[in-house]
Amino acid sequence: MAVPSLLATAAFLLVLKANMIMGAPYCGPVILASDFDLVQVALNLEFLEAEFYLIGANGEGLDTIAPNLAQGGPPPIGARKANLDDTARRIIQEFGFEEVGHIRAISSRIGGFPRPQLNLSSQSFATMFDQAVGFPLVPPFDPYANTINYLLASYLIPYVGLVGYVGTIPSLVTYNARSLVASLLGVEAGQDAVIRTLLYDRANETVLPYNLTVAEFTIKLSNLKNRLAGCGNKDEGLIVPPELGAENRTTSNILSANSDSLSYARNAYEIFRIIYGTGNEHQPGGFLPRGGNGNIAKGLLIKA
């Protein structure tokens, strides 16, 4: 297990303090952080995805399927089995088991930590969806109510991990970390593509009882993630104007990418701003009400 040096960690915390003093969102790479620290940021998201998918599909999560991987961390708040059709249930179940493997791989090859406190309640998702649309939805959005709601809730999650991995790889030094993250990225990208494809197939369907289509929800959710992260347009809905489509020729946007059809990248700060739902990497909330685990997440909270 790779352990960051005390000198590198101390220097990294000084950088965090300088970023906070500057005030504006920092959008560059996380500097002076070890491979250990960088990869552990992703472990927070892997726990989030594992519990959301496993419980959504099976009604039971890590504490039943692989309790040793939770390392005694608190059980997630509010997650429950979703009312999914058979196809969606099988897909989400597979995703959940894949996330178990991801947690095991990171823990064994880099080093793990106890599962952070997760808030996967309907209220947590409803808050994010209210932020996205700009007003309180009535009734409050419930991700577990049906297949389309669950897929829209899933739209919030794997893409954040995907762009986080893309942003992490250039900063990694060791072959072990680079090969691990490249392999994780491949599966995360596949999960995101499946979710976006399933939603695109229903893009023009109205999400009842709300007067918004599936495509409109994805646009608003992507805009929310961009606002929270504070580093420009790195997330796009399923339907885009032609100038944002592939080679400026499509309005479909099943794979979100830049003008050269390359994946967008986010740093650790952006990831926490989104997952906390606060737009502030120093202020926990949202899906991680006590903040994330790992040196980077803890350092941000210490310096808040």
Side-chain angles (χ1 to χ4, degrees):
M1 180 175 68
V3 180
S5 70
L6 293 175
L7 181 61
T9 301
F12 174 62
L13 291 176
L14 288 174
V15 172
L16 294 180
K17 183 174 182 179
N19 289 339
M20 188 175 72
I21 291 171
M22 286 173 16
Y26 176 69
C27 301
V30 178
I31 59 174
L32 299 175
S34 69
D35 289 359
F36 175 92
D37 292 333
L38 291 168
V39 178
Q40 281 203 335
V41 171
L43 187 54
N44 290 285
L45 295 178
E46 299 292 358
F47 275 118
L48 170 59
E49 292 176 81
E51 296 291 14
F52 184 57
Y53 293 148
L54 288 172
I55 298 174
N58 302 326
E60 55 190 19
L62 277 177
D63 287 334
T64 298
I65 293 165
N68 60 305
L69 294 178
Q71 294 189 36
I77 298 167
R80 68 178 195 272
K81 188 173 183 178
N83 183 26
L84 302 174
D85 63 46
D86 188 59
T87 298
R89 186 189 66 79
R90 289 177 183 273
I91 291 170
I92 297 302
Q93 180 184 65
E94 179 182 332
F95 287 1
F97 289 135
E98 289 167 353
E99 299 304 331
V100 173
H102 290 181
I103 295 170
R104 184 173 59 247
I106 294 174
S107 298
S108 62
R109 291 179 58 177
I110 298 294
F113 50 61
R115 174 181 53 199
Q117 179 66 76
L118 301 168
N119 185 353
L120 299 174
S121 66
S122 298
Q123 293 79 7
S124 181
F125 282 95
T127 298
M128 292 286 278
F129 273 72
D130 287 352
Q131 281 185 270
V133 301
F135 57 87
L137 291 169
V138 180
F141 185 85
D142 181 359
Y144 304 105
N146 52 57
T147 296
I148 196 65
N149 281 24
Y150 191 88
L151 291 174
L152 283 169
S154 299
Y155 181 87
L156 281 170
I157 302 171
Y159 183 74
V160 177
L162 185 165
V163 293
Y165 282 136
V166 174
T168 296
I169 288 175
S171 297
L172 298 174
V173 176
T174 64
Y175 174 82
N176 178 52
R178 291 197 306 270
S179 64
L180 172 61
V181 173
S183 298
L184 293 166
L185 172 59
V187 176
E188 292 294 329
Q191 292 178 353
D192 182 64
V194 169
I195 289 169
R196 292 179 72 100
T197 301
L198 291 172
L199 288 169
Y200 185 79
D201 190 51
R202 304 171 71 168
N204 295 319
E205 180 179 319
T206 299
V207 182
L208 299 176
Y210 314 112
N211 191 30
L212 290 166
T213 66
V214 168
E216 288 169 334
F217 262 114
T218 66
I219 292 167
K220 290 180 182 296
L221 290 168
S222 288
N223 289 341
L224 172 65
K225 287 183 277 184
N226 287 328
R227 290 197 305 273
L228 290 172
C231 294
N233 181 56
K234 298 183 181 181
D235 201 313
E236 299 162 345
L238 295 175
I239 304 294
V240 294
E243 58 267 25
L244 292 179
E247 293 303 296
N248 308 128
R249 298 184 183 205
T250 71
T251 57
S252 65
N253 197 44
I254 296 172
L255 301 181
S256 181
N258 70 12
S259 58
D260 290 320
S261 292
L262 302 177
S263 276
Y264 294 108
R266 293 196 188 278
N267 65 27
Y269 305 101
E270 295 174 78
I271 300 304
F272 287 123
R273 292 170 199 153
I274 295 170
I275 296 301
Y276 291 170
T278 62
N280 185 339
E281 63 268 37
H282 307 287
Q283 182 181 341
F287 300 124
L288 289 168
R290 298 181 190 170
N293 281 345
N295 289 333
I296 290 179
K298 294 299 185 185
L300 290 165
L301 297 180
I302 289 170
K303 296 298 178 181

